[in-house]
Amino acid sequence: MKVFKLSKGYLRSFLIGYLVIFVIAITALVIHLVNTRSDIKKTALKELENISSLKESDIINFISEEKYKLNLLVSSDFFRKELVSFFMDNSKLNQLIKILYQIKSIKDLENIVLIDSTGKIIHSFYLLDENYDSLTIRLLSARLVPESIIDVFETKGSGISYFFQFPIIIQEKKSNRLIGFIRFQFDALTYLIPRFEHLEPSSTREVVLLKRDKDNVIYLSHLRKVSLKPMTLKESTNDRICWDKIFATSYCEFEGLDYAGTPVLGILRKIKHTDLVLFTKQDQKEIYQSFKTYAFHVSISVILFLLTSGFAFGYFIVRSKLKMDKQEIQFLKSQELIETQFKTLIESMNDSLFVINQDGIIVNVNTKVIETYGYAKDELLNKTIDLVCTESFEELKTRFSRIIKSNGYIYETIHRKKNGVTFDVEVSAKAYTVDGNYFIL
């Protein structure tokens, strides 16, 4: 019986081990897929960062080149003399306009604007809605007069313009004095916006130009997913952590919804020396498409393997269990048969037969014992053998040791019946073991 119990315990342990392996395999699969997705994300962001960096370099070079050329013009002796003369005496406007018109034509400018030191617009080739320039007034109020200003704004002409604005400063005895500004205005849709735009026919990658306006960001370039004119679409920055971060750190990795509500990965990069931001992005669906296919196939393969192994193992367990049950039934029948035969054998014997354990306790007797000694069977079972012996129990223990050590042991002694009558007996004893326990017959 013990053999079968051990087998069942082994199978139970084996089943628990299989379940542990199943859980570990699924956990390892999940970890692998999470790491793979993370690597794909890092690769996509790196590619977007490279595109963004190249675009930024191209724009910075373009702006620096334009700024350098215009700065040379503004600082040239002849042109500076004319500008200073005008700002000191506005009556000389006609003479300056001829020069400005030539510059406008040569450089293909959209407009040239002259602004005095209070922010009042004193010349423009186009009629403007306001007499004072709000950007200049804001800078003057903050006491900020940078060497040059670059900005993009909406106009009545082409729709979007960008400009370079330079201060005109004269030296006086004790300090420098600001006397005005000159602004060179270009058509952004012709010269600036195309440099930002990045569209790939076979990809959802897109680069758009943004500008912050208080609590909003304004999309300045053409958009791929919606049919809107530049500077039409605005988004609030209140719920976008990345928008606030970009103006503090100049760089931010973005994961969220784009202007069309599509989940994207992107890079926000602030262009140096401007308030303009490049947003380089790609749809997450495209980025993770290959991963989804890979994850599906790998997951199905692993799960099918585990399930197939589980079914095969389960079939093995059931077969083993049925086989063991059959063997156990056969064993029980055999044992029952042996016990019946043994009982028949000892009952048919003419000699008295005692079965005692190694502690001297009677565990079985035959009918001849009951007839000879006068005890009922229940009166003998679970009693020590000294009940029918005249020897002390200590002497009997010594005999037990000899019996266990020898292959067989025969000796003469005196036994006692229930009524107290003693009689001589010859004892033939032999020891055997069952499950590691000694018994004496």
Side-chain angles (χ1 to χ4, degrees):
M1 292 298 292
K2 187 174 181 181
V3 174
F4 297 111
K5 290 180 180 178
L6 287 174
S7 298
K8 291 179 180 179
Y10 172 77
L11 291 175
R12 189 183 301 110
S13 299
F14 202 46
L15 178 59
I16 293 173
Y18 172 79
L19 294 176
V20 170
I21 292 173
F22 186 92
V23 172
I24 292 174
I26 294 298
T27 303
L29 172 64
V30 172
I31 292 173
H32 169 70
L33 293 178
V34 169
N35 290 336
T36 302
R37 189 180 188 277
S38 178
D39 292 340
I40 292 173
K41 177 181 176 180
K42 290 178 182 178
T43 301
L45 287 172
K46 186 66 177 177
E47 292 175 356
L48 293 172
E49 182 180 352
N50 292 337
I51 295 173
S52 178
S53 180
L54 290 173
K55 282 294 179 181
E56 182 194 30
S57 298
D58 183 30
I59 296 303
I60 289 176
N61 291 336
F62 170 75
I63 290 175
S64 298
E65 185 179 348
E66 288 294 320
K67 177 183 173 183
Y68 175 75
K69 292 177 181 179
L70 293 172
N71 192 48
L72 285 179
L73 173 64
V74 174
S75 60
S76 65
D77 293 339
F78 171 75
F79 190 59
R80 177 175 174 77
K81 181 179 178 181
E82 293 295 329
L83 286 173
V84 171
S85 177
F86 165 72
F87 280 111
M88 299 298 291
D89 183 4
N90 295 158
S91 63
K92 297 180 180 181
L93 177 61
N94 292 333
Q95 181 179 348
L96 181 61
I97 286 179
K98 293 179 182 179
I99 300 173
L100 294 178
Y101 187 80
Q102 291 177 351
I103 294 172
K104 178 177 178 295
S105 300
I106 293 171
K107 293 189 170 294
D108 196 20
L109 295 170
E110 188 177 71
N111 196 5
I112 299 177
V113 182
L114 299 176
I115 305 168
D116 69 13
S117 59
T118 65
K120 182 179 180 180
I121 300 173
I122 53 180
H123 169 71
S124 171
F125 283 100
Y126 298 103
L127 182 64
L128 302 177
D129 294 335
E130 299 178 352
N131 294 326
Y132 285 86
D133 181 66
S134 57
L135 174 61
T136 303
I137 291 175
R138 189 165 66 249
L139 292 172
L140 291 172
S141 300
R143 297 185 179 181
L144 295 173
V145 184
E147 293 181 0
S148 63
I149 304 170
I150 304 168
D151 199 4
V152 180
F153 63 101
E154 192 171 10
T155 64
K156 290 183 177 180
S158 62
I160 302 178
S161 299
Y162 73 98
F163 65 77
F164 296 85
Q165 184 168 307
F166 298 89
I168 308 300
I169 300 174
I170 60 173
Q171 294 183 348
E172 295 185 336
K173 292 181 180 181
K174 295 183 179 182
S175 62
N176 296 333
R177 182 164 68 93
L178 175 69
I179 60 174
F181 299 88
I182 182 169
R183 176 181 295 175
F184 300 96
Q185 186 172 310
F186 295 84
D187 180 3
L189 293 177
T190 302
Y191 296 104
L192 186 65
I193 301 300
R195 293 181 176 271
F196 288 94
E197 295 175 336
H198 177 88
L199 301 175
E200 298 179 22
S202 59
S203 174
T204 59
R205 289 174 182 163
E206 181 181 13
V207 181
V208 294
L209 180 62
L210 308 173
K211 172 186 174 181
R212 187 170 185 173
D213 180 23
K214 296 180 181 179
D215 292 332
N216 296 312
V217 288
I218 305 174
Y219 287 79
L220 304 178
S221 52
H222 295 97
L223 302 176
R224 183 176 200 160
K225 298 178 182 178
V226 294
S227 299
L228 293 174
K229 293 180 180 180
M231 293 199 78
T232 302
L233 181 61
K234 294 183 180 181
E235 285 186 352
S236 173
T237 61
N238 292 333
D239 299 329
R240 304 277 184 115
I241 297 175
C242 215
W243 295 130
D244 293 330
K245 183 179 178 182
I246 185 63
F247 290 98
T249 63
S250 300
Y251 179 88
C252 183
E253 294 181 353
F254 179 84
E255 183 173 8
L257 303 179
D258 66 359
Y259 58 83
T262 304
V264 298
L265 285 180
I267 299 293
L268 285 166
R269 186 187 298 273
K270 183 176 179 291
I271 300 174
K272 295 178 182 178
H273 311 303
T274 72
D275 288 329
L276 305 178
V277 176
L278 278 177
F279 184 22
T280 309
K281 64 184 182 66
Q282 184 177 5
D283 290 359
Q284 291 187 28
K285 182 179 180 181
E286 180 182 26
I287 293 172
Y288 296 123
Q289 183 61 45
S290 60
F291 167 75
K292 290 179 179 179
T293 303
Y294 169 77
F296 175 77
H297 289 150
V298 170
S299 300
I300 291 298
S301 299
V302 171
I303 292 173
L304 285 177
F305 172 76
L306 291 173
L307 290 177
T308 303
S309 302
F311 283 127
F313 180 67
Y315 176 75
F316 169 76
I317 290 177
V318 172
R319 285 289 303 273
S320 300
K321 180 66 168 58
L322 291 174
K323 184 177 180 180
M324 285 192 301
D325 289 345
K326 184 177 180 181
Q327 291 175 344
E328 185 174 2
I329 292 171
Q330 290 176 348
F331 177 81
L332 292 174
K333 287 182 178 179
S334 298
Q335 188 181 44
E336 185 179 353
L337 178 61
I338 291 171
E339 289 178 351
T340 302
Q341 291 174 344
F342 180 73
K343 184 176 180 181
T344 302
L345 176 64
I346 64 175
E347 291 297 334
S348 63
M349 293 177 65
N350 290 323
D351 295 327
S352 298
L353 188 144
F354 291 86
V355 179
I356 63 176
N357 63 18
Q358 59 191 11
D359 296 323
I361 296 174
I362 301 170
V363 296
N364 201 0
V365 295
N366 65 354
T367 305
K368 189 65 176 179
V369 170
I370 297 170
E371 294 174 353
T372 302
Y373 288 84
Y375 287 99
K377 189 172 184 178
D378 291 341
E379 293 177 311
L380 292 171
L381 296 181
N382 297 320
K383 302 295 190 301
T384 54
I385 191 64
D386 59 345
L387 177 67
V388 297
C389 296
T390 58
E391 297 172 279
S392 68
F393 193 71
E394 293 299 324
E395 290 176 326
L396 290 172
K397 281 186 176 181
T398 303
R399 289 190 185 279
F400 295 160
S401 299
R402 291 177 184 176
I403 295 170
I404 290 172
K405 291 178 181 179
S406 63
N407 189 31
Y409 185 68
I410 299 174
Y411 63 95
E412 293 182 355
T413 186
I414 299 173
H415 279 191
R416 182 175 50 249
K417 297 181 180 182
K418 182 177 180 181
N419 60 11
V421 176
T422 60
F423 62 98
D424 295 331
V425 295
E426 182 184 75
V427 177
S428 176
K430 190 171 183 178
Y432 65 95
T433 60
V434 176
D435 293 339
N437 297 314
Y438 283 99
F439 293 87
I440 297 173
L441 181 64

